[in-house]
Amino acid sequence: MRTLHAASLLRLTLDDEPRPGHAVLVSGDRIEAVAPVDELTGAYPEVRVRRWAGALGPALVHDGPLPPAPSPRERVHALFRLGAAAVLAEHVTDPALRAAAARNEVAVLAAARPPALVVGGRADLAVFAADGSCLATVVAGRLVHRRA
């Protein structure tokens, strides 16, 4: 199933100039295309469209200990509320925490890397409000957090 994620602004990297009117087409857990919204909805008229308020871009790589919470599952979900879809391996050494990360498809990285939206790459996206707070997080193509 394909989903089109569109927002007022799109950034391919955290430093990228915002692109108004663009969207990300996700198929399964991969990014299939990045193009103007009208072009993608014209090419895929049956596609499910999610329109987000805010700036859409790559999900973050969390480079510190996971936020405190009562359980490993809740610690992982706290990452999603920050807009993160990846964490450094050194911060998930506890077996229960590593298992919770794996169940939720959090990417566990040996080293930090700059987040980017890449056609053919894993569909890890986040939407941020003007104040920097996370409005939504998509991990491996799956919506895992949406602020009410």
Side-chain angles (χ1 to χ4, degrees):
M1 175 177 202
R2 290 184 175 115
T3 302
L4 185 68
H5 293 273
S8 305
L9 299 173
L10 172 75
R11 286 188 168 93
L12 297 178
T13 67
L14 298 179
D15 298 329
D16 188 29
E17 284 295 317
R19 300 160 193 244
H22 279 64
V24 178
L25 179 66
V26 173
S27 181
D29 68 347
R30 298 285 155 189
I31 295 173
E32 188 171 330
V34 177
V37 175
D38 295 341
E39 183 180 309
L40 291 171
T41 55
Y44 302 93
E46 78 295 345
V47 72
R48 176 184 184 174
V49 179
R50 288 192 181 270
R51 294 192 185 274
W52 303 104
L56 174 64
L60 304 176
V61 175
H62 189 74
D63 62 357
L66 276 66
S71 72
R73 178 189 165 281
E74 290 169 290
R75 291 183 74 191
V76 167
H77 283 268
L79 282 179
F80 300 153
R81 288 190 299 277
L82 298 173
V87 66
L88 299 183
E90 66 190 79
H91 299 296
V92 288
T93 57
D94 174 66
L97 189 54
R98 188 173 281 269
R103 276 192 307 277
N104 287 281
E105 298 185 76
V106 172
V108 178
L109 308 175
R113 59 154 171 74
L117 299 179
V118 178
V119 173
R122 197 169 106 140
D124 291 340
L125 320 170
V127 181
F128 293 96
D131 68 1
S133 63
C134 180
L135 301 173
T137 306
V138 173
V139 174
R142 190 171 49 93
L143 180 64
V144 294
H145 164 69
R146 176 176 44 209
R147 190 167 80 187

